Structures are given as C-alpha cells and as structure tokens.
Amino acid sequence: MSIGTLYIVAAPSGAGKTSLVKRLVETTPGVAVSISHTTRPPRPSERNGEHYHFVPMATFEAMIASDAFLEHAQVFGNRYGTSRTAVLAQLETGQDVILEIDWQGARQVKALLPDSLTIFILPPSRAALRQRLSGRGQDSAEIIERRMAAALDELSHYAEFDYLVMNDDFATALDQLRAILIAQRQRRAAQLERQQELLQALLS
C-alpha cells in the first residue's frame, strides 16, 4: 500500500481556509483533516475528538516534553499542537492528511517531513480580507485591527509555500485545491506502488 501525502494548508484569518478544506474532505475520497490538540476550552458547538482534542495545560506540556508533536504553537494565549503518532499512522494507511496550521507550524513540519506539500490560501484583495474579518459582526474594531495585522503578517510568508490558491470564487478555489491532490496522486512514485502489477503485466 502506498503512503499517503501530508498537505499543510495555511492562510490568513478570513481567507476561507477552513470552509475550503471542510468541503474538500467531504467531496474527495481518501483525505482527512488532522485533529489538533489544544488547551483552549471547547466552544458550545465543538466536540472533543471531532473538532479538537481538548487537553489541560499540564497534559500539553507533557506531550511537548515527550516530543509527541510534529509542531506546536501558542495563539492568543492558547496552545495548539499536531500529534506526530496520529498523523504518521494515518499516512501509513495510504490516506492523505491535511494539517490546517500557520506558517510557523508549516515550517516546523516541513523540516521534519520534507516530502509534505504546502498550500497557501490567498484572499482576492486586502479590502475583501478586511470585509470578511469585519463580517463576523461579533468583534470590536480593536480586535478586527489586531486580526488584520496578524493576517497581513501571515500573508507575508506566502513565498515559503509550494502552491498558492486564490479564494475569490469558492467553487474555483475548491477545484484548484482538488487538482493539487489529484496531480500528486498521479506522480510516478505513487503510481509505481499502486500500479506495480499492471506495469509488470504491460511490459511482460
């Protein structure tokens, strides 16, 4: 069985990354999103083990000490991390895995797993990004400005990624994301594992 591909998907807040990845997984067989560990409390709609693994700070720090994470980061006072064991186990079954992390996490994972592919989601314009960040209607102007500054900082690292997908039209961006996965699955190394018997039969 061939080993799955690890995809790292990053984007500034408001670029639509989560919606795109969710729809991609729903409509593309053989791909799943890695479930991160976090120290933040769950929101009312979130379930442990489905949206995140919610753990106490002491547990998270013990996992860091035991080198259990592919990457980990602190965001707005909360800790987030990707389990090394869980991701590698999924990949070994032949499943493709997506990590939704920021550029710092992407850099950490790429250093450990250089065969992983990185994808950055771009907003169509700065104005559209600000509108999306403001459109949630639940944050103060100060918070929106802070998120805008963080988004622009994230955007400044686009050149570190293998692929850029601009999310202006959702359906088009989704097709482009799916095309990256489909193309990767047709690479010679992957097809040699999947189609070994066919290739031998064709050339015998």
Side-chain angles (χ1 to χ4, degrees):
M1 178 180 293
S2 61
I3 300 297
T5 298
L6 181 62
Y7 295 91
I8 301 164
V9 182
S13 179
K17 171 188 67 176
T18 300
S19 298
L20 280 169
V21 168
K22 182 175 184 291
R23 188 62 180 149
L24 178 70
V25 170
E26 290 172 348
T27 58
T28 309
V31 61
V33 177
S34 171
I35 301 173
S36 298
H37 287 68
T38 184
T39 59
R40 77 160 172 78
R43 297 179 181 128
S45 63
E46 292 176 332
R47 288 180 291 276
N48 187 45
E50 180 179 339
H51 298 93
Y52 286 95
H53 298 294
F54 297 98
V55 297
M57 182 64 77
T59 301
F60 196 96
E61 290 176 344
M63 292 180 73
I64 293 175
S66 63
D67 200 27
F69 291 125
L70 279 174
E71 60 81 32
H72 60 87
Q74 183 166 316
V75 182
F76 299 126
N78 299 305
R79 309 294 292 273
Y80 296 84
T82 302
S83 167
R84 180 194 304 265
T85 302
V87 168
L88 294 180
Q90 284 179 290
L91 293 173
E92 286 171 3
T93 68
Q95 186 172 52
D96 292 331
V97 178
I98 295 175
L99 303 186
E100 290 185 69
I101 53 180
D102 67 5
W103 69 268
Q104 296 176 81
R107 187 180 285 178
Q108 291 178 52
V109 175
K110 191 77 172 178
L112 290 171
L113 300 173
D115 289 339
S116 57
L117 294 181
T118 56
I119 304 169
F120 196 88
I121 309 297
L122 296 166
S125 68
R126 185 181 286 212
L129 180 62
R130 181 178 292 277
Q131 183 179 22
R132 291 173 186 178
L133 290 173
S134 304
R136 296 171 180 177
Q138 60 190 27
D139 299 314
S140 68
E142 181 183 352
I143 290 175
I144 290 169
E145 287 306 315
R146 186 174 70 177
R147 286 186 171 165
M148 188 71 184
L152 294 176
D153 179 66
E154 185 82 20
L155 269 168
S156 72
H157 294 275
Y158 74 89
E160 298 180 28
F161 289 75
D162 300 313
Y163 295 94
L164 301 178
V165 173
M166 196 263 284
N167 183 19
D168 185 6
D169 177 74
F170 185 87
T172 300
L174 179 62
D175 284 344
Q176 291 170 349
L177 267 181
R178 189 180 293 112
I180 294 169
L181 269 69
I182 292 170
Q184 174 65 14
R185 291 173 179 177
Q186 312 319 307
R187 289 179 64 85
R188 184 181 67 247
Q191 289 288 61
L192 279 175
E193 292 186 44
R194 294 192 197 99
Q195 309 294 350
Q196 188 173 29
E197 289 186 9
L198 170 63
L199 290 166
Q200 288 176 345
L202 286 170
L203 296 172
S204 61

